[in-house]
């Protein structure tokens, strides 16, 4: 006997799917708009499609009109039918134009594109239980990841996260030695170095192209005299005596987080702090079936789990590991005290001593 279909539930579910598919189809048009400067140009003042095409550098106005109507249908720009002009609200500009806004999301669209590009590689991993080496997922996953996390780091590391660590901000202002492990392209390292000029910072990452990019950023920001970047996996770092070790959104990506925790304890100075920033998550999977958990579980399926399974041990914690599991791993590494120092809508900050 065929199942009985509840028409109300079916229509509600199809409505949800239309919204989801519309969001997915917006990814390429948003990326084009970002690259061509269309959002930036529209932020100056309202414009017709023809005016916007000229303002953005002489683009083809028929393409620009279709693009602008797509963004209006997305709800990403405003459209006034009476004047046939488009505009960007202050709130929309926070997402698409203001690069230091905490909700600037250009990197998120790049990350989605990188996930789609790596689809075939990850699908093969499902069949064989293998992984995908970091940097091999897509053309520039590490660039997209850096851009995705940058707004959160710009608005939280110095303002909220480090001040939540007991006594650490004063030590940094006085001069401390800091390791930023899993630093990627160096955004987090350089933000700390700019805020605490008396301290010395070393960024470590096992991905050589990321370190090359980080070194370029250090030169561009005039910080190469106080900030160095080295290619090294977490367990291979030979230098020690660090007053602060930071890990931003990377412990769950490691193949051997327990081995990493043990080594962090070895290289930390007496009285030092290990700060671990991880995606916000409840300890039970059911706690994470929400919009934020949805983003993290999907990204974790395509990026975090394959990255970890490519490494030794292959713990594959995933981006929704939860505080209890992470704290247990940190304590097994020899840390007597682990506490949640602070949290935000997307991250939690764990302090280990």
């Amino acid at each position: 006997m065929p199942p009985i279909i509840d028409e109300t539930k079916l229509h509600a579910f199809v409505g949800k799917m239309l919204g989801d598919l519309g969001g997915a189809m917006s990814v390429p048009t948003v990326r084009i708009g970002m690259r061509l400067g269309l959002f930036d140009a529209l932020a100056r003042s309202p414009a017709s499609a023809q005016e916007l095409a000229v303002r953005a550098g002489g683009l083809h106005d028929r393409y620009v009109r279709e693009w602008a109507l797509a963004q209006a249908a997305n709800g990403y720009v405003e459209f006034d039918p009476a004047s046939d002009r488009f505009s960007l609200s202050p709130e929309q500009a926070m997402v698409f134009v203001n690069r230091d806004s905490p909700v600037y999301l250009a990197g998120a669209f790049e990350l989605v594109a990188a996930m789609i590009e790596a689809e075939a590689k990850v699908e093969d991993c499902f069949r064989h239980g293998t992984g995908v080496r970091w940097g091999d997922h897509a053309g520039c996953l590490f660039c997209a990841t850096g851009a995705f996390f940058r707004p959160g780091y710009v608005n939280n590391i110095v303002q909220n996260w480090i001040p939540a660590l007991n006594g650490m901000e004063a030590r940094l202002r006085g001069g401390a030695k800091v390791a930023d492990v899993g630093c990627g392209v160096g955004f987090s390292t350089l933000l700390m170095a700019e805020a605490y000029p008396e301290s010395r910072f070393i960024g470590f990452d096992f991905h050589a192209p990321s370190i090359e990019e980080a070194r370029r950023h250090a030169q561009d920001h005039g910080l190469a005299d106080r900030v160095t970047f080295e290619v090294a996996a977490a367990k291979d770092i030979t230098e020690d005596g660090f007053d602060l070790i930071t890990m931003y959104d990377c412990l769950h990506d490691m193949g051997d987080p327990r081995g990493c925790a043990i080594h962090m304890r070895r290289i930390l100075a007496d009285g030092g702090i290990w700060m671990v920033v991880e995606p916000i998550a409840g300890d039970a999977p059911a706690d994470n079936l929400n919009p934020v958990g949805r983003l993290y579980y999907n990204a974790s399926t395509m990026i975090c789990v394959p990255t970890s399974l490519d490494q030794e041990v292959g713990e594959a914690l995933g981006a929704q590991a939860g505080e209890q599991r992470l704290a247990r791993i940190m304590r097994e590494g020899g840390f007597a005290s682990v506490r949640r120092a602070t949290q935000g809508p997307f991250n939690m900050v764990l302090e280990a001593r």
Side-chain angles (χ1 to χ4, degrees):
M1 184 176 179
I4 298 174
I5 301 297
D6 184 318
E7 293 293 332
T8 301
K9 289 183 178 179
L10 176 61
H11 289 309
F13 185 61
V14 171
K16 168 185 162 50
M17 293 307 303
L18 287 173
D20 290 352
L21 289 170
M25 290 183 178
S26 76
V27 171
T29 61
V30 167
R31 293 177 73 218
I32 288 172
M34 290 286 191
R35 287 195 298 271
L36 295 180
L38 285 163
F39 287 106
D40 290 335
L42 191 57
R44 298 179 207 165
S45 62
S48 67
Q50 292 82 2
E51 292 166 340
L52 183 58
V54 172
R55 194 183 296 174
L59 302 177
H60 193 286
D61 64 278
R62 181 64 188 91
Y63 278 107
V64 170
R65 179 171 179 79
E66 205 72 2
W67 175 88
L69 287 169
Q71 304 321 305
N74 287 335
Y76 298 167
V77 308
E78 303 298 325
F79 175 59
D80 178 16
S83 64
D84 198 35
R85 293 163 77 83
F86 302 89
S87 62
L88 207 65
S89 72
E91 296 77 20
Q92 290 163 340
M94 289 280 285
V95 171
F96 294 110
V97 176
N98 300 338
R99 285 157 179 76
D100 287 340
S101 157
V103 291
Y104 181 66
L105 292 178
F109 287 89
E110 294 301 317
L111 196 60
V112 171
M115 288 165 59
I116 293 171
E117 185 179 339
E119 181 182 325
K121 294 178 182 178
V122 176
E123 181 180 337
D124 192 60
C125 293
F126 273 70
R127 296 188 176 94
H128 305 291
T130 50
V132 181
R133 189 172 304 276
W134 181 254
D136 288 349
H137 287 73
C140 195
L141 174 65
F142 67 94
C143 304
T145 301
F148 173 72
F149 284 123
R150 182 185 176 277
Y153 296 166
V154 166
N155 289 277
N156 285 290
I157 289 177
V158 174
Q159 300 90 329
N160 300 309
W161 296 345
I162 287 177
L165 306 176
N166 286 328
M168 182 49 64
E169 188 169 38
R171 292 171 68 176
L172 289 168
R173 295 198 185 284
K177 183 179 178 181
V178 182
D180 189 12
V181 179
C183 65
V185 295
F187 290 143
S188 54
T189 322
L190 297 174
L191 285 167
M192 292 188 291
E194 288 177 334
Y196 306 109
E198 299 302 317
S199 293
R200 177 183 169 227
F201 297 83
I202 307 175
F204 298 97
D205 201 284
F206 75 159
H207 185 237
S210 290
I211 290 297
E212 291 172 10
E213 187 73 13
R215 288 170 177 162
R216 283 194 290 271
H217 288 314
Q219 289 287 349
D220 292 343
H221 287 78
L223 293 169
D225 59 328
R226 292 190 296 107
V227 183
T228 56
F229 291 99
E230 303 294 338
V231 178
K235 294 194 300 182
D236 295 335
I237 297 170
T238 57
E239 194 160 350
D240 59 13
F242 293 103
D243 300 295
L244 173 65
I245 298 173
T246 59
M247 283 190 183
Y248 296 100
D249 294 291
C250 65
L251 182 63
H252 67 272
D253 291 317
M254 295 183 181
D256 183 14
R258 287 178 175 80
C260 170
I262 292 169
H263 194 63
M264 294 305 101
R265 181 66 189 87
R266 290 189 189 123
I267 66 175
L268 194 67
D270 291 340
I273 291 175
W274 180 24
M275 179 177 80
V276 176
V277 178
E278 280 285 301
I280 194 77
D283 292 310
D287 297 335
N288 305 319
L289 303 184
N290 52 55
V292 173
R294 180 188 185 187
L295 294 177
Y296 281 135
Y297 272 131
N298 280 286
S300 188
T301 302
M302 299 301 295
I303 301 170
C304 309
V305 168
T307 294
S308 179
L309 287 175
D310 178 68
Q311 302 170 56
E312 62 173 337
V313 181
E315 179 88 12
L317 285 172
Q320 295 287 268
E323 181 179 359
Q324 287 185 9
R325 192 174 180 190
L326 292 165
R328 183 168 61 251
I329 287 172
M330 296 164 79
R331 291 191 181 96
E332 289 172 0
F335 290 88
S337 170
V338 180
R339 73 178 183 97
R340 185 182 296 205
T342 189
Q343 68 181 58
F346 301 106
N347 292 95
M348 58 182 166
V349 179
L350 304 181
E351 176 195 279
R353 293 173 175 267

